[in-house]
Every structure is written in structure tokens, then in C-alpha cells.
Coordinates of all heavy atoms in Angstrom, one line a residue:
M1 N 122.9 106.6 -1.6 CA 121.7 106.2 -0.8 C 120.4 106.5 -1.5 O 119.5 105.7 -1.6 CB 121.7 106.8 0.6 CG 120.7 106.2 1.5 SD 120.8 106.8 3.2 CE 120.0 108.3 3.2
L2 N 120.3 107.7 -2.1 CA 119.1 108.1 -2.9 C 118.9 107.1 -4.0 O 117.7 106.6 -4.2 CB 119.2 109.5 -3.5 CG 118.0 110.0 -4.3 CD1 116.8 110.0 -3.4 CD2 118.3 111.3 -4.9
Q3 N 119.9 106.6 -4.7 CA 119.8 105.7 -5.7 C 119.2 104.4 -5.2 O 118.3 103.8 -5.8 CB 121.2 105.4 -6.4 CG 121.1 104.5 -7.6 CD 120.3 105.1 -8.7 OE1 120.4 106.3 -9.0 NE2 119.4 104.3 -9.3
N4 N 119.7 103.9 -4.0 CA 119.1 102.7 -3.4 C 117.6 102.8 -3.1 O 116.9 101.9 -3.3 CB 119.9 102.4 -2.1 CG 121.3 101.9 -2.4 OD1 121.6 101.5 -3.5 ND2 122.2 102.1 -1.4
I5 N 117.2 104.0 -2.6 CA 115.8 104.2 -2.3 C 115.0 104.2 -3.6 O 113.9 103.7 -3.6 CB 115.6 105.5 -1.4 CG1 116.3 105.2 -0.1 CG2 114.2 105.8 -1.3 CD1 115.7 104.1 0.8
L6 N 115.5 104.9 -4.6 CA 114.8 104.9 -5.9 C 114.6 103.5 -6.4 O 113.5 103.1 -6.9 CB 115.5 105.7 -6.9 CG 115.5 107.2 -6.7 CD1 116.4 108.0 -7.7 CD2 114.1 107.8 -6.7
T7 N 115.6 102.6 -6.3 CA 115.5 101.2 -6.7 C 114.4 100.5 -5.8 O 113.7 99.7 -6.3 CB 116.9 100.5 -6.5 OG1 117.8 101.2 -7.2 CG2 116.8 99.0 -6.9
G8 N 114.4 100.9 -4.6 CA 113.4 100.4 -3.6 C 112.0 100.7 -4.1 O 111.1 99.9 -4.1
W9 N 111.8 102.0 -4.5 CA 110.4 102.4 -5.0 C 110.1 101.6 -6.3 O 109.0 101.2 -6.5 CB 110.4 103.9 -5.3 CG 110.2 104.7 -4.0 CD1 111.0 105.7 -3.6 CD2 109.1 104.6 -3.0 NE1 110.5 106.2 -2.4 CE2 109.4 105.5 -2.0 CE3 108.0 103.7 -2.9 CZ2 108.5 105.7 -0.9 CZ3 107.2 103.9 -1.8 CH2 107.5 104.8 -0.8
K10 N 111.1 101.4 -7.2 CA 110.9 100.6 -8.4 C 110.5 99.2 -8.1 O 109.5 98.7 -8.6 CB 112.2 100.6 -9.2 CG 112.0 100.3 -10.7 CD 113.3 100.3 -11.4 CE 113.9 99.0 -11.4 NZ 115.2 98.9 -11.9
N11 N 111.1 98.6 -7.1 CA 110.8 97.3 -6.6 C 109.4 97.3 -6.0 O 108.7 96.3 -6.1 CB 111.8 96.7 -5.7 CG 113.1 96.5 -6.4 OD1 113.2 96.2 -7.6 ND2 114.2 96.5 -5.7
Y12 N 109.1 98.4 -5.3 CA 107.8 98.5 -4.6 C 106.7 98.4 -5.7 O 105.7 97.7 -5.6 CB 107.7 99.8 -3.9 CG 106.3 100.2 -3.5 CD1 105.7 99.8 -2.3 CD2 105.5 101.1 -4.3 CE1 104.5 100.2 -1.9 CE2 104.2 101.5 -3.9 CZ 103.7 101.0 -2.7 OH 102.5 101.4 -2.3
L13 N 106.9 99.0 -6.9 CA 105.9 99.0 -7.9 C 105.9 97.7 -8.7 O 104.9 97.2 -9.1 CB 106.2 100.2 -8.9 CG 106.0 101.6 -8.3 CD1 106.5 102.6 -9.3 CD2 104.5 101.8 -8.0
S14 N 107.1 97.1 -8.9 CA 107.1 95.9 -9.7 C 106.7 94.6 -8.9 O 106.2 93.7 -9.4 CB 108.5 95.7 -10.3 OG 109.5 95.3 -9.3
K15 N 106.9 94.6 -7.6 CA 106.5 93.5 -6.7 C 107.0 92.2 -7.2 O 106.2 91.2 -7.3 CB 105.0 93.5 -6.5 CG 104.5 94.8 -5.8 CD 103.0 94.6 -5.5 CE 102.4 95.7 -4.6 NZ 103.0 97.0 -4.5
S16 N 108.3 92.1 -7.5 CA 108.8 90.7 -7.9 C 108.8 89.8 -6.7 O 109.0 90.3 -5.5 CB 110.2 90.9 -8.4 OG 111.2 90.8 -7.4
E17 N 108.6 88.5 -6.9 CA 108.4 87.6 -5.8 C 109.7 87.5 -4.9 O 109.6 87.4 -3.7 CB 108.1 86.2 -6.3 CG 106.6 86.1 -6.6 CD 106.2 84.7 -7.0 OE1 106.8 83.7 -6.6 OE2 105.3 84.6 -7.8
V18 N 110.8 87.5 -5.6 CA 112.1 87.4 -4.8 C 112.2 88.6 -3.9 O 112.5 88.5 -2.7 CB 113.3 87.3 -5.7 CG1 114.6 87.3 -4.9 CG2 113.2 86.0 -6.5
T19 N 112.0 89.8 -4.5 CA 112.2 91.0 -3.7 C 111.2 91.0 -2.6 O 111.5 91.4 -1.5 CB 111.9 92.3 -4.6 OG1 112.8 92.2 -5.8 CG2 112.2 93.5 -3.9
E20 N 110.0 90.6 -2.9 CA 108.9 90.6 -1.8 C 109.2 89.7 -0.7 O 108.9 90.0 0.5 CB 107.5 90.3 -2.4 CG 107.0 91.5 -3.3 CD 106.8 92.8 -2.5 OE1 106.0 92.9 -1.6 OE2 107.6 93.7 -2.8
A21 N 109.8 88.5 -1.0 CA 110.2 87.6 0.1 C 111.2 88.2 1.0 O 111.1 88.1 2.2 CB 110.7 86.3 -0.6
I22 N 112.2 88.9 0.4 CA 113.3 89.5 1.2 C 112.6 90.7 2.0 O 112.9 90.9 3.2 CB 114.4 90.0 0.3 CG1 115.1 88.8 -0.3 CG2 115.4 90.9 1.1 CD1 116.1 89.2 -1.5
A23 N 111.8 91.5 1.3 CA 111.2 92.6 1.9 C 110.3 92.2 3.1 O 110.3 92.9 4.1 CB 110.3 93.4 0.9
K24 N 109.6 91.1 3.0 CA 108.7 90.6 4.1 C 109.6 90.3 5.3 O 109.2 90.7 6.4 CB 108.0 89.3 3.6 CG 106.9 88.9 4.4 CD 106.2 87.7 3.7 CE 105.2 87.0 4.6 NZ 104.1 87.8 5.2
H25 N 110.7 89.7 5.1 CA 111.6 89.4 6.3 C 112.1 90.7 6.9 O 112.0 90.9 8.1 CB 112.8 88.5 5.8 CG 113.9 88.5 6.8 ND1 113.9 87.9 8.0 CD2 115.1 89.2 6.8 CE1 115.0 88.1 8.6 NE2 115.8 88.9 7.9
R26 N 112.5 91.6 6.0 CA 113.0 92.9 6.6 C 111.9 93.7 7.2 O 112.2 94.3 8.3 CB 113.6 93.7 5.4 CG 114.9 93.1 4.8 CD 115.3 93.9 3.6 NE 116.6 93.6 3.1 CZ 117.1 94.1 2.0 NH1 116.5 95.0 1.3 NH2 118.3 93.7 1.6
A27 N 110.7 93.6 6.7 CA 109.6 94.4 7.3 C 109.3 93.9 8.7 O 109.0 94.7 9.6 CB 108.4 94.3 6.4
A28 N 109.4 92.6 8.9 CA 109.2 92.0 10.2 C 110.2 92.6 11.2 O 109.9 92.9 12.4 CB 109.2 90.5 10.2
V29 N 111.5 92.7 10.7 CA 112.5 93.2 11.6 C 112.3 94.7 11.9 O 112.3 95.1 13.1 CB 113.9 93.0 11.0 CG1 115.0 93.6 11.8 CG2 114.2 91.5 10.7
C30 N 111.9 95.4 10.9 CA 111.7 96.9 11.1 C 110.5 97.1 12.0 O 110.5 98.0 12.9 CB 111.4 97.6 9.8 SG 112.9 97.7 8.7
A31 N 109.4 96.2 11.9 CA 108.2 96.4 12.7 C 108.5 96.3 14.2 O 107.9 96.9 15.0 CB 107.2 95.4 12.3
A32 N 109.5 95.5 14.5 CA 109.9 95.3 15.9 C 111.0 96.2 16.4 O 111.4 96.2 17.5 CB 110.4 93.8 16.1
C33 N 111.4 97.1 15.5 CA 112.5 98.1 15.8 C 112.0 99.4 16.3 O 111.1 100.0 15.8 CB 113.3 98.3 14.5 SG 114.7 99.5 14.7
P34 N 112.6 99.9 17.4 CA 112.1 101.2 18.0 C 112.4 102.4 17.1 O 111.8 103.5 17.3 CB 112.9 101.3 19.3 CG 114.1 100.4 19.1 CD 113.6 99.3 18.2
N35 N 113.2 102.2 16.0 CA 113.5 103.3 15.1 C 112.4 103.5 14.0 O 112.4 104.4 13.3 CB 114.8 103.1 14.4 CG 116.0 103.2 15.4 OD1 116.0 104.2 16.1 ND2 116.8 102.2 15.5
A36 N 111.5 102.5 13.9 CA 110.4 102.6 12.9 C 109.4 103.6 13.4 O 108.9 103.4 14.6 CB 109.8 101.3 12.6
R37 N 109.0 104.6 12.6 CA 108.1 105.6 13.0 C 107.0 105.8 12.0 O 107.2 105.6 10.8 CB 108.8 107.0 13.2 CG 109.9 107.0 14.2 CD 109.4 107.1 15.6 NE 110.4 106.6 16.6 CZ 111.4 107.3 17.0 NH1 111.5 108.5 16.6 NH2 112.3 106.8 17.9
Q38 N 105.8 106.2 12.4 CA 104.7 106.4 11.5 C 104.9 107.8 10.9 O 105.2 108.8 11.6 CB 103.4 106.4 12.3 CG 102.2 106.2 11.4 CD 102.1 104.9 10.7 OE1 102.5 103.9 11.3 NE2 101.7 104.8 9.5
G39 N 104.9 107.9 9.5 CA 105.1 109.2 8.9 C 103.8 109.8 8.4 O 102.9 109.1 7.9
K40 N 103.6 111.1 8.6 CA 102.4 111.8 8.3 C 102.1 111.7 6.8 O 101.0 111.4 6.4 CB 102.4 113.2 8.8 CG 102.3 113.4 10.3 CD 102.1 114.8 10.7 CE 102.1 114.9 12.2 NZ 103.2 115.7 12.7
L41 N 103.1 112.1 6.0 CA 102.9 112.1 4.5 C 102.8 110.7 3.9 O 102.2 110.5 2.9 CB 104.0 112.9 3.8 CG 104.0 114.4 4.1 CD1 105.3 115.0 3.5 CD2 102.8 115.0 3.6
L42 N 103.4 109.7 4.6 CA 103.5 108.4 4.1 C 102.2 107.6 4.3 O 102.0 106.5 3.8 CB 104.7 107.6 4.8 CG 106.0 108.2 4.4 CD1 107.1 107.5 5.3 CD2 106.4 108.0 3.0
T43 N 101.3 108.1 5.1 CA 100.0 107.4 5.3 C 99.2 107.2 4.1 O 98.4 106.3 4.0 CB 99.1 108.1 6.4 OG1 98.9 109.5 5.9 CG2 99.8 108.1 7.7
F44 N 99.5 108.0 3.0 CA 98.8 107.8 1.8 C 99.3 106.7 0.9 O 98.8 106.4 -0.1 CB 98.8 109.1 1.0 CG 98.1 110.2 1.8 CD1 98.9 111.2 2.4 CD2 96.7 110.3 1.9 CE1 98.3 112.2 3.1 CE2 96.1 111.3 2.7 CZ 96.9 112.3 3.3
I45 N 100.5 106.2 1.2 CA 101.1 105.2 0.4 C 100.7 103.8 1.0 O 101.1 103.4 2.1 CB 102.7 105.3 0.4 CG1 103.0 106.7 -0.2 CG2 103.3 104.2 -0.3 CD1 104.4 107.1 -0.2
K46 N 100.0 103.1 0.2 CA 99.5 101.8 0.7 C 100.6 100.7 0.4 O 101.4 100.8 -0.5 CB 98.2 101.4 -0.1 CG 97.1 102.3 0.2 CD 96.8 102.3 1.7 CE 95.9 103.5 2.0 NZ 96.0 103.8 3.4
D47 N 100.6 99.7 1.2 CA 101.6 98.6 1.1 C 101.0 97.3 1.5 O 100.4 97.3 2.6 CB 102.9 99.0 2.0 CG 104.1 98.1 1.6 OD1 103.9 97.0 1.1 OD2 105.2 98.6 1.8
R48 N 101.2 96.3 0.7 CA 100.7 95.0 1.2 C 101.5 94.4 2.4 O 101.1 93.5 3.1 CB 100.6 94.0 0.0 CG 101.9 93.5 -0.5 CD 101.6 92.5 -1.6 NE 102.8 92.1 -2.3 CZ 102.8 91.2 -3.3 NH1 101.7 90.7 -3.7 NH2 103.9 90.9 -3.9
L49 N 102.7 95.0 2.6 CA 103.4 94.7 3.8 C 103.0 95.6 4.9 O 103.5 96.7 5.1 CB 105.0 94.8 3.6 CG 105.6 93.8 2.6 CD1 107.0 94.1 2.4 CD2 105.4 92.4 3.1
K50 N 101.9 95.3 5.5 CA 101.2 96.2 6.5 C 102.1 96.6 7.7 O 101.9 97.6 8.3 CB 100.0 95.5 7.1 CG 98.9 95.3 6.0 CD 98.4 96.6 5.4 CE 97.5 96.4 4.2 NZ 97.4 97.6 3.4
E51 N 103.2 95.7 7.9 CA 104.1 96.0 9.0 C 104.8 97.4 8.8 O 105.2 98.0 9.8 CB 105.2 94.9 9.2 CG 104.7 93.5 9.3 CD 104.6 92.8 7.9 OE1 104.0 93.4 7.0 OE2 105.1 91.7 7.9
V52 N 105.0 97.7 7.5 CA 105.8 98.9 7.3 C 105.0 100.0 6.6 O 105.5 101.1 6.2 CB 107.1 98.6 6.5 CG1 108.1 97.8 7.3 CG2 106.8 98.0 5.2
E53 N 103.7 99.8 6.4 CA 102.9 100.7 5.6 C 102.9 102.1 6.4 O 102.6 102.2 7.6 CB 101.4 100.2 5.5 CG 100.6 101.1 4.7 CD 99.2 100.5 4.5 OE1 98.4 100.7 5.4 OE2 98.9 99.9 3.5
G54 N 103.3 103.1 5.6 CA 103.2 104.5 6.2 C 104.3 104.8 7.2 O 104.3 105.8 7.9
T55 N 105.4 104.0 7.2 CA 106.4 104.2 8.2 C 107.7 104.6 7.6 O 108.0 104.4 6.4 CB 106.7 102.9 9.1 OG1 107.1 101.9 8.2 CG2 105.4 102.5 9.8
Y56 N 108.6 105.2 8.4 CA 110.0 105.5 7.9 C 111.0 105.1 9.0 O 110.6 104.9 10.2 CB 110.1 107.0 7.6 CG 110.0 107.9 8.8 CD1 111.1 108.4 9.4 CD2 108.8 108.3 9.3 CE1 111.1 109.3 10.5 CE2 108.7 109.1 10.4 CZ 109.8 109.6 11.0 OH 109.7 110.5 12.1
C57 N 112.2 105.0 8.7 CA 113.3 104.7 9.6 C 113.8 106.0 10.2 O 114.2 106.9 9.5 CB 114.4 104.0 8.9 SG 115.8 103.7 10.0
N58 N 113.7 106.2 11.5 CA 114.1 107.4 12.2 C 115.6 107.6 12.2 O 116.1 108.7 12.5 CB 113.5 107.5 13.6 CG 113.5 108.9 14.1 OD1 113.3 109.8 13.4 ND2 113.9 109.0 15.4
T59 N 116.4 106.6 11.8 CA 117.8 106.7 11.8 C 118.3 107.3 10.5 O 119.0 108.3 10.4 CB 118.5 105.3 12.1 OG1 118.1 104.9 13.3 CG2 120.0 105.5 12.0
C60 N 117.8 106.7 9.4 CA 118.2 107.2 8.0 C 117.2 108.0 7.4 O 117.4 108.6 6.3 CB 118.6 106.0 7.1 SG 117.2 104.9 6.7
K61 N 116.0 108.1 8.0 CA 114.8 108.9 7.5 C 114.2 108.4 6.2 O 113.5 109.1 5.5 CB 115.2 110.4 7.3 CG 116.0 111.0 8.4 CD 115.1 111.1 9.7 CE 115.9 111.8 10.8 NZ 115.3 111.6 12.1
C62 N 114.6 107.1 5.8 CA 114.0 106.6 4.6 C 112.6 106.0 4.8 O 112.4 105.4 5.8 CB 114.9 105.4 4.1 SG 116.6 106.0 3.7
P63 N 111.8 106.1 3.8 CA 110.5 105.4 3.9 C 110.7 103.9 3.8 O 111.4 103.4 2.9 CB 109.7 105.9 2.6 CG 110.7 106.5 1.7 CD 111.9 106.8 2.5
L64 N 110.1 103.2 4.7 CA 110.4 101.8 4.8 C 109.8 100.9 3.7 O 110.3 99.9 3.4 CB 109.9 101.2 6.2 CG 110.9 101.7 7.4 CD1 110.3 101.3 8.7 CD2 112.3 101.2 7.2
S65 N 108.7 101.4 3.1 CA 108.2 100.6 2.0 C 109.2 100.5 0.8 O 109.3 99.5 0.2 CB 106.9 101.3 1.4 OG 105.8 101.1 2.3
A66 N 110.0 101.5 0.6 CA 111.0 101.5 -0.4 C 112.3 100.9 0.2 O 113.0 100.1 -0.5 CB 111.3 102.9 -0.8
K67 N 112.6 101.2 1.4 CA 113.9 100.8 2.0 C 114.0 99.2 2.1 O 115.0 98.7 1.7 CB 114.1 101.4 3.4 CG 115.5 101.1 3.9 CD 115.9 101.9 5.1 CE 117.3 101.6 5.6 NZ 118.3 102.2 4.7
V68 N 112.9 98.6 2.5 CA 113.0 97.1 2.7 C 113.1 96.4 1.3 O 113.4 95.3 1.2 CB 111.8 96.5 3.5 CG1 111.8 97.1 4.9 CG2 110.5 96.8 2.8
R69 N 112.8 97.2 0.2 CA 112.9 96.6 -1.1 C 114.1 97.1 -1.9 O 114.2 96.9 -3.1 CB 111.6 96.9 -1.9 CG 110.3 96.3 -1.3 CD 109.1 96.8 -2.0 NE 107.9 96.0 -1.7 CZ 107.0 96.4 -0.8 NH1 107.2 97.5 -0.1 NH2 105.9 95.7 -0.5
S70 N 115.0 97.8 -1.2 CA 116.1 98.4 -1.9 C 117.4 97.6 -1.7 O 117.4 96.6 -1.1 CB 116.3 99.8 -1.3 OG 116.9 99.7 0.0
N71 N 118.5 98.1 -2.3 CA 119.8 97.6 -2.2 C 120.5 98.2 -1.0 O 121.7 97.9 -0.8 CB 120.6 97.8 -3.4 CG 120.0 97.1 -4.6 OD1 119.4 96.1 -4.5 ND2 120.1 97.8 -5.8
D72 N 119.8 99.0 -0.3 CA 120.4 99.7 0.9 C 120.6 98.7 2.0 O 120.0 97.6 2.0 CB 119.5 100.9 1.3 CG 120.2 102.0 1.9 OD1 121.4 101.9 2.1 OD2 119.6 103.0 2.2
I73 N 121.2 99.2 3.1 CA 121.4 98.3 4.3 C 120.7 99.0 5.4 O 120.5 100.2 5.4 CB 122.9 98.1 4.6 CG1 123.6 99.5 4.7 CG2 123.6 97.2 3.5 CD1 125.0 99.3 5.4
C74 N 120.4 98.2 6.4 CA 119.8 98.8 7.7 C 121.0 99.6 8.4 O 122.1 99.0 8.6 CB 119.3 97.7 8.5 SG 119.0 98.2 10.3
P75 N 120.7 100.8 8.8 CA 121.8 101.6 9.4 C 122.2 101.0 10.8 O 123.2 101.4 11.3 CB 121.2 103.0 9.6 CG 119.7 102.8 9.5 CD 119.5 101.6 8.6
K76 N 121.4 100.1 11.3 CA 121.7 99.5 12.6 C 122.1 98.1 12.5 O 122.2 97.3 13.4 CB 120.5 99.6 13.6 CG 120.0 101.0 13.9 CD 121.0 101.7 14.9 CE 120.4 103.0 15.3 NZ 121.3 103.8 16.1
N77 N 122.4 97.7 11.2 CA 122.8 96.3 10.9 C 121.9 95.2 11.4 O 122.3 94.2 11.8 CB 124.2 96.0 11.4 CG 125.3 96.9 10.7 OD1 125.2 97.0 9.5 ND2 126.2 97.5 11.5
K78 N 120.6 95.5 11.4 CA 119.6 94.5 11.8 C 119.2 93.6 10.6 O 118.7 92.5 10.9 CB 118.4 95.2 12.4 CG 118.7 95.9 13.7 CD 117.4 96.4 14.4 CE 117.8 97.1 15.7 NZ 116.6 97.3 16.5
W79 N 119.4 94.0 9.4 CA 119.2 93.2 8.2 C 120.2 93.6 7.1 O 120.8 94.6 7.2 CB 117.8 93.1 7.7 CG 117.1 94.4 7.5 CD1 116.1 95.0 8.4 CD2 117.2 95.3 6.4 NE1 115.7 96.1 7.9 CE2 116.3 96.4 6.7 CE3 117.9 95.4 5.3 CZ2 116.1 97.5 5.8 CZ3 117.8 96.4 4.4 CH2 116.9 97.5 4.7
Ligands
LIG1 S1 116.0 100.0 8.8 FE1 117.0 99.1 10.6 S2 117.1 100.8 12.1 FE2 115.6 101.4 10.5 S3 113.6 100.8 11.3 FE3 114.4 99.1 10.0 S4 115.5 97.7 11.4 FE4 115.2 99.7 12.5

């Protein structure tokens, strides 16, 4: 899982168009999910996907800016 999140951060930095298209869809799903929470430390990480900026998943505890751009899966099978 850590490897997947590291890949997600790499994709966050590279912002490839394909990754961003997938991430945008996932971010919309996460934004509507009750498991998405605002993280105190994550507020300093800016994201053009405003739906997930500064948030983490309360189920897997992953930062959503990286998770939506990773090879990981949603722990609730929502995407
Ligand atoms: S990864 Fe899944 S469970 Fe976590 S916030 Fe996003 S939609 Fe919800």
C-alpha cells in the first residue's frame, strides 16, 4: 500500500493528463463520501483537484491527493 501511495505522490507531481482524468473522477466520488476527512497537516498541500485538497480517507488513512492518483483501490470499492 505504501508503494501505491508513493506512486500517487509521484503522479501528483507529474500531473499527467491520463492520471489527472482518472483522479478527477475519483476525487468527485471521494468528495461525496462520508469517509473523506479534512487533515490538519494536509492543509499545506495544495491540489488543483479542490474536492480532495487537504483531505484523507478515514478508512485507509491515506492522503487523498496521492490516493486518487495511485494504483491503490478504494477500501470501500467506490472506485
Ligand atoms: S477512498 Fe473510498 S472510502 Fe476513502 S474517501 Fe475515497 S471513496 Fe471514500
Side-chain angles (χ1 to χ4, degrees):
M1 190 169 85
L2 178 63
Q3 186 61 46
N4 288 338
I5 292 302
L6 289 176
T7 301
W9 282 124
K10 198 177 92 188
N11 291 335
Y12 167 86
L13 293 172
S14 71
K15 295 184 172 25
S16 86
E17 275 183 35
V18 174
T19 306
E20 287 301 291
I22 294 167
K24 193 173 167 57
H25 164 72
R26 291 174 172 177
V29 175
C30 289
C33 176
N35 292 310
R37 303 281 159 81
Q38 199 67 37
K40 287 188 184 116
L41 293 175
L42 296 170
T43 53
F44 299 104
I45 298 173
K46 298 300 164 203
D47 195 330
R48 67 178 174 179
L49 293 174
K50 295 298 173 197
E51 306 95 308
V52 293
E53 187 175 82
T55 63
Y56 68 98
C57 173
N58 198 40
T59 301
C60 64
K61 313 296 183 194
C62 297
L64 288 174
S65 287
K67 188 167 180 75
V68 298
R69 295 172 169 99
S70 75
N71 300 325
D72 211 355
I73 56 166
C74 165
K76 298 287 185 185
N77 293 319
K78 294 190 176 189
W79 48 257

